[in-house]
Amino acid sequence: MNTRDRALLIDLLDEFADRLGNDSCNDWEWPRSWSESYKRDFLDRYNTWADDEEEYHPKYGPNIVSLVLFLRYLFQQGD
């Protein structure tokens, strides 16, 4: 994937998050294959990135719009 391809995907993820926020509910469930320790690790990284007063609990996790934006960030960083 070249630089322009990556930039396009980042833009599309922004638009996707916006549409999800406007056109659907924000429900999301953890993948069943994720262990409790991985959920906590993921949320630690998410909560650090979000720099928000609200920290999500491992039982529930972030809403889908926030999740898409976080994945966009991770992709952009190359993580």
Side-chain angles (χ1 to χ4, degrees), residues 2-24:
N2 64 38
T3 303
R4 288 184 181 154
D5 297 342
R6 291 178 69 83
L8 175 60
L9 181 55
I10 289 166
D11 288 345
L12 289 174
L13 287 172
D14 275 339
E15 184 175 336
F16 181 57
D18 187 51
R19 287 180 184 252
L20 283 172
N22 292 328
D23 300 337
S24 69

Side-chain angles (χ1 to χ4, degrees), residues 63-77:
N63 63 60
I64 197 164
V65 172
S66 298
L67 180 63
V68 169
L69 293 174
F70 179 56
L71 292 174
R72 175 200 176 279
Y73 164 79
L74 291 177
F75 181 77
Q76 189 175 23
Q77 299 303 308

Side-chain angles (χ1 to χ4, degrees), residues 6-68:
R6 291 178 69 83
L8 175 60
L9 181 55
I10 289 166
D11 288 345
L12 289 174
L13 287 172
D14 275 339
E15 184 175 336
F16 181 57
D18 187 51
R19 287 180 184 252
L20 283 172
N22 292 328
D23 300 337
S24 69
C25 69
N26 265 331
D27 294 346
W28 176 76
E29 294 181 16
W30 293 109
R32 292 180 187 210
S33 62
W34 286 16
S35 67
E36 290 301 315
S37 64
Y38 188 76
K39 289 178 192 177
R40 282 190 299 277
D41 172 68
F42 184 87
L43 277 179
D44 286 345
R45 292 182 292 133
Y46 173 83
N47 288 329
T48 299
W49 166 79
D51 195 28
D52 194 354
E53 291 181 18
E54 179 179 8
E55 290 194 358
Y56 290 94
H57 187 278
K59 182 176 180 181
Y60 306 107
N63 63 60
I64 197 164
V65 172
S66 298
L67 180 63
V68 169

